[in-house]
Amino acid sequence: DQQVKQNSPSLSVQEGRISILNCDYTNSMFDYFLWYKKYPAEGPTFLISISSIKDKNEDGRFTVFLNKSAKHLSLHIVPSQPGDSAVYFCAAKLSGSARQLTFGSGTQLTVLP
Amino acid sequence: KAGVTQTPRYLIKTRGQQVTLSCSPISGHRSVSWYQQTPGQGLQFLFEYFSETQRNKGNFPGRFSGRQFSNSRSEMNVSTLELGDSALYLCASSFTQGTEAFFGQGTRLTVV
């Protein structure tokens, strides 16, 4: 049973436009959410996170939105750059589980020049 | 500040053998977690160590084990390797009070 789902395996966006990556979860006990970016042959790189007590967190070009009632979060990248092309993973942490993360299956973002 | 270092980067083993992977966390980080990444199953949590103690364990058979040393370096061991153990094994370290995990480049294990 996949508790964290990224239903879009791939997304293509024009350079300069907004990229929106989506993630859904089923377990209401998740209390912290993270986004990672991964290039081939490298480990995932931490991008941005959000606590379940918030509904938005911004860091430069990256903004994460959390809708707890819908059990949905999204990552917005504005403006998108070719260097953003990578696989993006959504991850969630269970309340009381210090650092065990449950990952989604990832979305391949391609930013076209 | 050096990142998380995993060795070796690539490894080829024969079915039935055992393997040990190493992870050096970011300086000052005391938590080390291990994940397995496969095309079919994505990134799956193996276990977490903190202060030389296993804190959490994922749903993997007992052939997968680990340990952490007093300097926070960690090793992961897989015994009686199976073809299905072929994967990218990722180590991540975290601050004591932090949730964000910082990953190494991984060890690509191929079992033939």
Side-chain angles (χ1 to χ4, degrees), chain A residues 32 34 36 38 41-46 49 89 93 96-105, chain B residues 9 31 33 35 37 43 45 48 50 56 88 90 94-96 98-105:
Chain A
Y32 204 81
L34 307 91
Y36 284 85
K38 187 179 186 299
E42 293 186 14
T45 302
F46 170 72
S49 60
F89 289 96
K93 182 190 82 66
S97 173
R99 278 163 289 272
Q100 178 174 346
L101 298 177
T102 302
F103 281 84
S105 54
Chain B
R9 288 291 311 278
S31 166
S33 300
Y35 290 82
Q37 185 182 21
L43 268 153
F45 174 80
E48 182 211 353
F50 182 83
N56 288 301
L88 180 67
L90 292 159
S94 304
F95 286 115
T96 300
T99 300
E100 290 81 5
F102 297 89
F103 284 84
Q105 290 187 293

Side-chain angles (χ1 to χ4, degrees), chain A residues 33-55:
Chain A
F33 301 89
L34 307 91
W35 283 94
Y36 284 85
K37 176 170 77 172
K38 187 179 186 299
Y39 294 116
E42 293 186 14
T45 302
F46 170 72
L47 271 177
I48 191 169
S49 60
I50 188 167
S51 164
S52 61
I53 62 173
K54 295 186 175 181
D55 54 20

